[in-house]
Amino acid sequence: MTHTTLFLRSVAVIVVLAGLAHLFACGTQERQAKRGESNVPVDTTDMLVAATSSIEATEVMAAGEEQKQEAAPVTYHSDTDYIIGKWRVTYDSEAFKGTIVYDLKKEGKVFHAYTFQYEDENGDSQKAEGTKALTIQEFDGYKGSGVYVFTYEGETYDVACQIDMVDENTFMLSYDYYGYSDMETWKRF
């Protein structure tokens, strides 16, 4: 390969990269103008680096976002979060006689209870499928409200419910659905 050919190829690569950087800079300025932002001078060196290593930049940004998510501290509110944990409810109906253990978790600002384990009246237990049975949307540490999910004669119902704490290890869940009302006692497991 001659020096002339090598020189011309190098110039062609530089022109292509500079052109990409120029197009990228123009596109950024147009987007800023559409959003009403001021036109800030764009450094073409930064654009050239961005154009030539967009994959690496994307990977670095993704890694930075993951670090931000991992670094976000989990906030524990002692006034309300003591309700998190496993709770046992005893049922005595034609459909089911025994106990269901629920795992109550906090997801964002809302509490959700999932079925965890079934225990029959003989004490035999079986792991539950983890279906959501309760969503507590508002809870101040003493009283709360949410949605209770129950199945009756093969139909599933989402019913508004009230939570009343008896003590830190017991709360009463009550609901009234078209004349069918019930109150359940949830005890810490």
Side-chain angles (χ1 to χ4, degrees):
M1 184 178 293
T2 65
H3 292 290
T4 307
T5 307
L6 183 60
F7 176 75
L8 290 176
R9 286 187 181 175
S10 299
V11 169
V13 168
I14 292 171
V15 168
V16 169
L17 291 177
L20 287 173
H22 181 69
L23 287 173
F24 187 78
C26 290
T28 302
Q29 289 173 351
E30 287 177 10
R31 283 192 302 270
Q32 287 175 346
K34 286 181 183 176
R35 290 187 299 213
E37 297 176 3
S38 62
N39 284 335
V40 178
V42 178
D43 183 4
T44 56
T45 307
D46 290 340
M47 295 299 162
L48 181 61
V49 170
T52 57
S53 62
S54 63
I55 294 173
E56 292 174 13
T58 303
E59 290 173 358
V60 168
M61 288 181 357
E65 290 173 7
E66 288 175 11
Q67 288 175 352
K68 285 180 189 176
Q69 290 175 355
E70 291 174 7
V74 175
T75 306
Y76 180 83
H77 298 286
S78 60
D79 296 343
T80 58
D81 291 359
Y82 69 89
I83 199 169
I84 296 170
K86 295 197 176 38
W87 295 84
R88 171 181 281 174
V89 182
T90 302
Y91 296 94
D92 188 12
S93 68
E94 293 177 17
F96 180 72
K97 290 185 183 199
T99 302
I100 299 177
V101 177
Y102 296 98
D103 189 8
L104 201 118
K105 302 176 181 181
K106 185 174 184 181
E107 297 170 355
K109 294 182 179 182
V110 178
F111 297 95
H112 298 283
Y114 299 92
T115 56
F116 179 75
Q117 178 177 315
Y118 301 112
E119 297 174 358
D120 66 13
E121 54 195 12
N122 299 325
D124 297 325
S125 64
Q126 174 182 340
K127 183 159 178 58
E129 54 278 344
T131 56
K132 188 184 301 184
L134 173 65
T135 299
I136 303 173
Q137 299 156 333
E138 294 181 21
F139 183 65
D140 65 4
Y142 301 101
K143 294 189 178 289
S145 62
V147 176
Y148 182 58
V149 180
F150 68 90
T151 303
Y152 178 71
E153 294 183 357
E155 296 288 326
T156 302
Y157 299 93
D158 294 346
V159 179
C161 67
Q162 300 298 317
I163 307 294
D164 290 311
M165 295 303 296
V166 175
D167 57 42
E168 64 183 33
N169 294 316
T170 308
F171 70 84
M172 303 301 287
L173 181 142
S174 59
Y175 57 90
D176 186 9
Y177 187 69
Y178 292 105
Y180 180 76
S181 60
D182 198 6
M183 184 175 287
E184 296 179 356
T185 304
W186 289 49
K187 294 198 172 278
R188 192 172 298 279
F189 181 65

CSV table of all heavy atoms in Angstrom, one decimal, residues 83-127:
chain,number,residue,atom,x,y,z
A,83,ILE,N,-45.8,-3.9,59.8
A,83,ILE,CA,-46.8,-4.8,59.4
A,83,ILE,C,-46.3,-5.8,58.4
A,83,ILE,O,-46.9,-6.8,58.1
A,83,ILE,CB,-48.0,-4.0,58.7
A,83,ILE,CG1,-49.3,-4.9,58.7
A,83,ILE,CG2,-47.7,-3.5,57.4
A,83,ILE,CD1,-50.5,-4.2,58.3
A,84,ILE,N,-45.1,-5.6,57.9
A,84,ILE,CA,-44.4,-6.5,56.9
A,84,ILE,C,-44.1,-7.8,57.7
A,84,ILE,O,-43.6,-7.8,58.8
A,84,ILE,CB,-43.1,-5.8,56.4
A,84,ILE,CG1,-43.5,-4.6,55.6
A,84,ILE,CG2,-42.4,-6.8,55.5
A,84,ILE,CD1,-42.3,-3.8,55.1
A,85,GLY,N,-44.3,-8.9,57.0
A,85,GLY,CA,-44.0,-10.2,57.5
A,85,GLY,C,-45.1,-11.2,57.2
A,85,GLY,O,-45.9,-11.0,56.3
A,86,LYS,N,-45.0,-12.3,57.9
A,86,LYS,CA,-46.0,-13.4,57.6
A,86,LYS,C,-47.1,-13.4,58.6
A,86,LYS,O,-46.9,-13.2,59.8
A,86,LYS,CB,-45.3,-14.8,57.6
A,86,LYS,CG,-44.2,-14.9,56.5
A,86,LYS,CD,-43.8,-16.2,56.3
A,86,LYS,CE,-42.9,-16.4,55.1
A,86,LYS,NZ,-41.9,-15.4,54.9
A,87,TRP,N,-48.3,-13.6,58.1
A,87,TRP,CA,-49.6,-13.5,58.9
A,87,TRP,C,-50.4,-14.7,58.7
A,87,TRP,O,-50.5,-15.2,57.5
A,87,TRP,CB,-50.4,-12.2,58.5
A,87,TRP,CG,-49.6,-11.0,58.8
A,87,TRP,CD1,-48.7,-10.3,58.1
A,87,TRP,CD2,-49.8,-10.2,60.0
A,87,TRP,NE1,-48.2,-9.2,58.7
A,87,TRP,CE2,-48.9,-9.1,59.9
A,87,TRP,CE3,-50.5,-10.3,61.2
A,87,TRP,CZ2,-48.7,-8.1,60.9
A,87,TRP,CZ3,-50.4,-9.3,62.1
A,87,TRP,CH2,-49.5,-8.3,62.0
A,88,ARG,N,-51.1,-15.2,59.7
A,88,ARG,CA,-51.9,-16.4,59.7
A,88,ARG,C,-53.3,-16.0,59.9
A,88,ARG,O,-53.7,-15.3,60.8
A,88,ARG,CB,-51.4,-17.3,60.8
A,88,ARG,CG,-52.3,-18.5,61.0
A,88,ARG,CD,-51.8,-19.4,62.1
A,88,ARG,NE,-50.7,-20.2,61.5
A,88,ARG,CZ,-49.9,-20.9,62.2
A,88,ARG,NH1,-50.0,-21.1,63.5
A,88,ARG,NH2,-49.0,-21.6,61.6
A,89,VAL,N,-54.2,-16.6,59.0
A,89,VAL,CA,-55.6,-16.4,59.1
A,89,VAL,C,-56.3,-17.8,59.2
A,89,VAL,O,-56.0,-18.6,58.3
A,89,VAL,CB,-56.2,-15.6,57.9
A,89,VAL,CG1,-57.7,-15.4,58.1
A,89,VAL,CG2,-55.5,-14.3,57.8
A,90,THR,N,-57.1,-18.0,60.2
A,90,THR,CA,-57.8,-19.3,60.3
A,90,THR,C,-59.2,-19.1,59.8
A,90,THR,O,-59.9,-18.2,60.0
A,90,THR,CB,-57.9,-19.7,61.8
A,90,THR,OG1,-56.6,-19.7,62.4
A,90,THR,CG2,-58.6,-21.0,62.0
A,91,TYR,N,-59.6,-20.1,58.9
A,91,TYR,CA,-60.9,-20.1,58.3
A,91,TYR,C,-61.7,-21.4,58.7
A,91,TYR,O,-61.1,-22.4,58.9
A,91,TYR,CB,-60.7,-20.2,56.7
A,91,TYR,CG,-60.1,-18.9,56.2
A,91,TYR,CD1,-58.7,-18.9,56.0
A,91,TYR,CD2,-60.8,-17.8,55.9
A,91,TYR,CE1,-58.1,-17.8,55.4
A,91,TYR,CE2,-60.2,-16.7,55.4
A,91,TYR,CZ,-58.9,-16.6,55.2
A,91,TYR,OH,-58.3,-15.5,54.7
A,92,ASP,N,-63.0,-21.2,58.9
A,92,ASP,CA,-63.8,-22.3,59.2
A,92,ASP,C,-65.1,-22.2,58.4
A,92,ASP,O,-66.1,-21.7,58.9
A,92,ASP,CB,-64.1,-22.3,60.7
A,92,ASP,CG,-64.8,-23.6,61.2
A,92,ASP,OD1,-64.9,-24.5,60.4
A,92,ASP,OD2,-65.4,-23.6,62.3
A,93,SER,N,-65.0,-22.6,57.2
A,93,SER,CA,-66.2,-22.6,56.3
A,93,SER,C,-66.3,-23.9,55.6
A,93,SER,O,-65.5,-24.8,55.7
A,93,SER,CB,-66.0,-21.5,55.2
A,93,SER,OG,-65.0,-21.8,54.3
A,94,GLU,N,-67.4,-24.0,54.8
A,94,GLU,CA,-67.6,-25.3,54.1
A,94,GLU,C,-66.5,-25.5,53.0
A,94,GLU,O,-66.1,-26.6,52.7
A,94,GLU,CB,-69.0,-25.2,53.4
A,94,GLU,CG,-70.1,-25.3,54.4
A,94,GLU,CD,-71.5,-25.2,53.7
A,94,GLU,OE1,-71.6,-25.4,52.4
A,94,GLU,OE2,-72.5,-24.9,54.4
A,95,ALA,N,-66.1,-24.4,52.4
A,95,ALA,CA,-65.1,-24.5,51.4
A,95,ALA,C,-63.7,-24.8,51.9
A,95,ALA,O,-62.9,-25.5,51.2
A,95,ALA,CB,-65.0,-23.1,50.6
A,96,PHE,N,-63.3,-24.3,53.1
A,96,PHE,CA,-62.0,-24.5,53.6
A,96,PHE,C,-62.0,-24.4,55.1
A,96,PHE,O,-62.4,-23.4,55.7
A,96,PHE,CB,-61.0,-23.5,53.0
A,96,PHE,CG,-59.6,-23.6,53.4
A,96,PHE,CD1,-58.8,-24.7,53.0
A,96,PHE,CD2,-59.0,-22.7,54.3
A,96,PHE,CE1,-57.5,-24.8,53.4
A,96,PHE,CE2,-57.7,-22.9,54.8
A,96,PHE,CZ,-57.0,-23.9,54.3
A,97,LYS,N,-61.5,-25.4,55.7
A,97,LYS,CA,-61.2,-25.4,57.2
A,97,LYS,C,-59.8,-25.6,57.4
A,97,LYS,O,-59.2,-26.6,57.0
A,97,LYS,CB,-62.0,-26.5,57.8
A,97,LYS,CG,-63.5,-26.3,57.8
A,97,LYS,CD,-64.2,-27.4,58.6
A,97,LYS,CE,-65.7,-27.1,58.5
A,97,LYS,NZ,-66.5,-27.8,59.4
A,98,GLY,N,-59.2,-24.5,57.9
A,98,GLY,CA,-57.7,-24.6,58.2
A,98,GLY,C,-57.2,-23.2,58.2
A,98,GLY,O,-57.9,-22.2,58.6
A,99,THR,N,-55.9,-23.0,57.9
A,99,THR,CA,-55.2,-21.8,58.1
A,99,THR,C,-54.5,-21.4,56.7
A,99,THR,O,-54.0,-22.3,56.1
A,99,THR,CB,-54.2,-21.9,59.2
A,99,THR,OG1,-54.9,-22.2,60.4
A,99,THR,CG2,-53.5,-20.6,59.4
A,100,ILE,N,-54.5,-20.2,56.4
A,100,ILE,CA,-53.7,-19.7,55.3
A,100,ILE,C,-52.7,-18.7,55.9
A,100,ILE,O,-53.0,-17.8,56.6
A,100,ILE,CB,-54.6,-19.0,54.2
A,100,ILE,CG1,-55.6,-20.0,53.6
A,100,ILE,CG2,-53.7,-18.5,53.1
A,100,ILE,CD1,-56.5,-19.4,52.6
A,101,VAL,N,-51.4,-18.9,55.5
A,101,VAL,CA,-50.4,-18.0,55.9
A,101,VAL,C,-50.1,-17.1,54.7
A,101,VAL,O,-49.9,-17.5,53.6
A,101,VAL,CB,-49.1,-18.7,56.3
A,101,VAL,CG1,-48.0,-17.8,56.6
A,101,VAL,CG2,-49.4,-19.7,57.5
A,102,TYR,N,-50.1,-15.8,55.0
A,102,TYR,CA,-49.9,-14.8,53.9
A,102,TYR,C,-48.5,-14.1,54.2
A,102,TYR,O,-48.1,-13.9,55.3
A,102,TYR,CB,-51.0,-13.7,54.0
A,102,TYR,CG,-52.3,-14.2,53.6
A,102,TYR,CD1,-53.3,-14.5,54.6
A,102,TYR,CD2,-52.7,-14.4,52.3
A,102,TYR,CE1,-54.5,-15.0,54.3
A,102,TYR,CE2,-54.0,-14.8,52.0
A,102,TYR,CZ,-54.9,-15.1,53.0
A,102,TYR,OH,-56.1,-15.6,52.7
A,103,ASP,N,-47.8,-13.8,53.1
A,103,ASP,CA,-46.6,-13.0,53.2
A,103,ASP,C,-46.9,-11.6,52.8
A,103,ASP,O,-47.2,-11.3,51.6
A,103,ASP,CB,-45.5,-13.6,52.3
A,103,ASP,CG,-44.2,-13.1,52.5
A,103,ASP,OD1,-44.0,-12.3,53.5
A,103,ASP,OD2,-43.3,-13.4,51.7
A,104,LEU,N,-46.8,-10.7,53.8
A,104,LEU,CA,-47.2,-9.3,53.5
A,104,LEU,C,-45.9,-8.5,53.2
A,104,LEU,O,-44.9,-8.5,54.1
A,104,LEU,CB,-47.9,-8.7,54.7
A,104,LEU,CG,-48.7,-7.4,54.4
A,104,LEU,CD1,-50.2,-7.7,54.7
A,104,LEU,CD2,-48.2,-6.3,55.3
A,105,LYS,N,-45.8,-7.9,52.1
A,105,LYS,CA,-44.6,-7.2,51.6
A,105,LYS,C,-44.9,-5.7,51.3
A,105,LYS,O,-46.1,-5.4,50.9
A,105,LYS,CB,-44.0,-7.9,50.4
A,105,LYS,CG,-43.7,-9.3,50.5
A,105,LYS,CD,-43.2,-9.9,49.2
A,105,LYS,CE,-42.9,-11.4,49.4
A,105,LYS,NZ,-42.4,-12.0,48.2
A,106,LYS,N,-43.9,-4.9,51.3
A,106,LYS,CA,-44.1,-3.5,50.8
A,106,LYS,C,-43.4,-3.4,49.5
A,106,LYS,O,-42.3,-3.7,49.3
A,106,LYS,CB,-43.4,-2.6,51.8
A,106,LYS,CG,-43.7,-1.1,51.5
A,106,LYS,CD,-43.1,-0.2,52.6
A,106,LYS,CE,-43.5,1.2,52.3
A,106,LYS,NZ,-42.9,2.1,53.3
A,107,GLU,N,-44.2,-2.9,48.5
A,107,GLU,CA,-43.7,-2.7,47.2
A,107,GLU,C,-44.0,-1.2,46.8
A,107,GLU,O,-45.2,-0.9,46.6
A,107,GLU,CB,-44.4,-3.6,46.2
A,107,GLU,CG,-44.1,-5.1,46.5
A,107,GLU,CD,-44.9,-6.1,45.7
A,107,GLU,OE1,-45.8,-5.7,45.0
A,107,GLU,OE2,-44.7,-7.3,45.9
A,108,GLY,N,-43.0,-0.4,46.9
A,108,GLY,CA,-43.2,1.0,46.7
A,108,GLY,C,-43.8,1.6,48.0
A,108,GLY,O,-43.3,1.4,49.1
A,109,LYS,N,-44.9,2.2,47.9
A,109,LYS,CA,-45.6,2.8,49.0
A,109,LYS,C,-46.9,1.9,49.4
A,109,LYS,O,-47.6,2.3,50.3
A,109,LYS,CB,-46.1,4.2,48.8
A,109,LYS,CG,-44.9,5.1,48.6
A,109,LYS,CD,-45.4,6.6,48.4
A,109,LYS,CE,-44.2,7.5,48.2
A,109,LYS,NZ,-44.5,8.9,48.1
A,110,VAL,N,-47.0,0.8,48.7
A,110,VAL,CA,-48.2,0.0,48.9
A,110,VAL,C,-47.8,-1.4,49.5
A,110,VAL,O,-46.8,-1.9,49.1
A,110,VAL,CB,-48.9,-0.2,47.5
A,110,VAL,CG1,-50.2,-1.1,47.7
A,110,VAL,CG2,-49.3,1.1,46.9
A,111,PHE,N,-48.7,-1.9,50.3
A,111,PHE,CA,-48.4,-3.2,50.9
A,111,PHE,C,-49.3,-4.3,50.2
A,111,PHE,O,-50.4,-4.0,49.8
A,111,PHE,CB,-48.8,-3.3,52.4
A,111,PHE,CG,-48.0,-2.3,53.3
A,111,PHE,CD1,-48.5,-1.1,53.5
A,111,PHE,CD2,-46.8,-2.7,53.8
A,111,PHE,CE1,-47.8,-0.2,54.3
A,111,PHE,CE2,-46.1,-1.9,54.6
A,111,PHE,CZ,-46.5,-0.6,54.8
A,112,HIS,N,-48.6,-5.4,49.9
A,112,HIS,CA,-49.3,-6.5,49.2
A,112,HIS,C,-49.2,-7.8,50.0
A,112,HIS,O,-48.1,-8.1,50.5
A,112,HIS,CB,-48.8,-6.8,47.8
A,112,HIS,CG,-48.9,-5.6,46.9
A,112,HIS,ND1,-50.1,-5.3,46.3
A,112,HIS,CD2,-48.1,-4.7,46.5
A,112,HIS,CE1,-50.0,-4.3,45.5
A,112,HIS,NE2,-48.7,-3.8,45.6
A,113,ALA,N,-50.2,-8.6,50.2
A,113,ALA,CA,-50.2,-9.9,50.9
A,113,ALA,C,-50.3,-11.0,49.8
A,113,ALA,O,-51.3,-10.9,49.1
A,113,ALA,CB,-51.2,-10.0,51.9
A,114,TYR,N,-49.4,-11.9,49.8
A,114,TYR,CA,-49.5,-13.0,48.9
A,114,TYR,C,-49.7,-14.3,49.7
A,114,TYR,O,-49.1,-14.5,50.8
A,114,TYR,CB,-48.2,-13.1,48.1
A,114,TYR,CG,-47.9,-11.9,47.3
A,114,TYR,CD1,-47.1,-10.9,47.8
A,114,TYR,CD2,-48.4,-11.8,46.0
A,114,TYR,CE1,-46.9,-9.7,47.0
A,114,TYR,CE2,-48.1,-10.7,45.2
A,114,TYR,CZ,-47.4,-9.7,45.7
A,114,TYR,OH,-47.1,-8.6,45.0
A,115,THR,N,-50.4,-15.3,49.1
A,115,THR,CA,-50.6,-16.6,49.8
A,115,THR,C,-49.2,-17.2,49.9
A,115,THR,O,-48.4,-17.2,48.9
A,115,THR,CB,-51.5,-17.5,49.0
A,115,THR,OG1,-51.1,-17.6,47.7
A,115,THR,CG2,-52.9,-17.0,49.1
A,116,PHE,N,-48.9,-17.8,51.0
A,116,PHE,CA,-47.6,-18.4,51.3
A,116,PHE,C,-47.7,-19.9,51.6
A,116,PHE,O,-46.9,-20.7,51.1
A,116,PHE,CB,-46.9,-17.6,52.5
A,116,PHE,CG,-45.5,-18.2,52.8
A,116,PHE,CD1,-44.5,-17.9,52.0
A,116,PHE,CD2,-45.4,-19.0,53.9
A,116,PHE,CE1,-43.2,-18.5,52.3
A,116,PHE,CE2,-44.1,-19.5,54.2
A,116,PHE,CZ,-43.0,-19.2,53.4
A,117,GLN,N,-48.7,-20.2,52.4
A,117,GLN,CA,-48.8,-21.6,52.8
A,117,GLN,C,-50.2,-21.9,53.3
A,117,GLN,O,-50.9,-21.1,53.8
A,117,GLN,CB,-47.8,-21.8,54.0
A,117,GLN,CG,-47.8,-23.2,54.6
A,117,GLN,CD,-46.8,-23.3,55.7
A,117,GLN,OE1,-45.7,-22.8,55.6
A,117,GLN,NE2,-47.1,-23.8,56.9
A,118,TYR,N,-50.6,-23.1,53.0
A,118,TYR,CA,-51.9,-23.6,53.4
A,118,TYR,C,-51.7,-24.7,54.5
A,118,TYR,O,-50.8,-25.5,54.4
A,118,TYR,CB,-52.7,-24.3,52.3
A,118,TYR,CG,-53.0,-23.4,51.1
A,118,TYR,CD1,-52.4,-23.6,49.9
A,118,TYR,CD2,-53.9,-22.3,51.2
A,118,TYR,CE1,-52.7,-22.8,48.8
A,118,TYR,CE2,-54.1,-21.5,50.1
A,118,TYR,CZ,-53.5,-21.7,48.9
A,118,TYR,OH,-53.8,-20.9,47.9
A,119,GLU,N,-52.5,-24.6,55.5
A,119,GLU,CA,-52.5,-25.7,56.6
A,119,GLU,C,-53.9,-26.1,56.8
A,119,GLU,O,-54.8,-25.4,57.0
A,119,GLU,CB,-51.9,-25.1,57.9
A,119,GLU,CG,-50.5,-24.6,57.8
A,119,GLU,CD,-50.0,-23.8,59.0
A,119,GLU,OE1,-50.8,-23.7,60.0
A,119,GLU,OE2,-48.9,-23.4,59.0
A,120,ASP,N,-54.1,-27.5,56.8
A,120,ASP,CA,-55.4,-28.0,57.0
A,120,ASP,C,-55.7,-28.2,58.5
A,120,ASP,O,-54.8,-27.9,59.3
A,120,ASP,CB,-55.7,-29.3,56.2
A,120,ASP,CG,-54.8,-30.4,56.6
A,120,ASP,OD1,-54.2,-30.4,57.7
A,120,ASP,OD2,-54.8,-31.4,55.9
A,121,GLU,N,-56.9,-28.6,58.8
A,121,GLU,CA,-57.2,-28.7,60.2
A,121,GLU,C,-56.5,-29.8,61.0
A,121,GLU,O,-56.4,-29.8,62.2
A,121,GLU,CB,-58.7,-29.0,60.4
A,121,GLU,CG,-59.2,-30.1,59.6
A,121,GLU,CD,-60.7,-30.1,59.4
A,121,GLU,OE1,-61.4,-29.2,59.7
A,121,GLU,OE2,-61.2,-31.2,59.0
A,122,ASN,N,-55.8,-30.7,60.2
A,122,ASN,CA,-55.0,-31.8,60.8
A,122,ASN,C,-53.5,-31.3,61.0
A,122,ASN,O,-52.7,-32.1,61.5
A,122,ASN,CB,-55.0,-33.0,59.9
A,122,ASN,CG,-56.4,-33.6,59.8
A,122,ASN,OD1,-57.2,-33.5,60.7
A,122,ASN,ND2,-56.7,-34.1,58.6
A,123,GLY,N,-53.2,-30.1,60.6
A,123,GLY,CA,-51.8,-29.6,60.7
A,123,GLY,C,-50.9,-29.9,59.6
A,123,GLY,O,-49.8,-29.5,59.6
A,124,ASP,N,-51.5,-30.5,58.5
A,124,ASP,CA,-50.7,-30.7,57.3
A,124,ASP,C,-50.6,-29.4,56.5
A,124,ASP,O,-51.5,-28.7,56.4
A,124,ASP,CB,-51.3,-31.8,56.4
A,124,ASP,CG,-51.3,-33.2,57.1
A,124,ASP,OD1,-50.4,-33.5,57.9
A,124,ASP,OD2,-52.3,-33.9,56.9
A,125,SER,N,-49.4,-29.2,56.0
A,125,SER,CA,-49.2,-27.9,55.3
A,125,SER,C,-48.7,-28.1,53.9
A,125,SER,O,-48.1,-29.2,53.6
A,125,SER,CB,-48.2,-27.0,56.0
A,125,SER,OG,-46.9,-27.6,56.1
A,126,GLN,N,-49.0,-27.1,53.1
A,126,GLN,CA,-48.6,-27.2,51.6
A,126,GLN,C,-48.2,-25.8,51.2
A,126,GLN,O,-48.9,-24.8,51.6
A,126,GLN,CB,-49.8,-27.7,50.8
A,126,GLN,CG,-49.6,-27.7,49.3
A,126,GLN,CD,-50.8,-28.1,48.6
A,126,GLN,OE1,-51.7,-28.8,49.2
A,126,GLN,NE2,-50.9,-27.8,47.4
A,127,LYS,N,-47.2,-25.6,50.4
A,127,LYS,CA,-46.8,-24.3,49.9
A,127,LYS,C,-47.8,-23.8,49.0
A,127,LYS,O,-48.4,-24.5,48.2
A,127,LYS,CB,-45.4,-24.4,49.2
A,127,LYS,CG,-44.9,-23.1,48.8
A,127,LYS,CD,-43.4,-23.1,48.5
A,127,LYS,CE,-42.9,-21.9,48.0
A,127,LYS,NZ,-43.1,-20.7,48.9
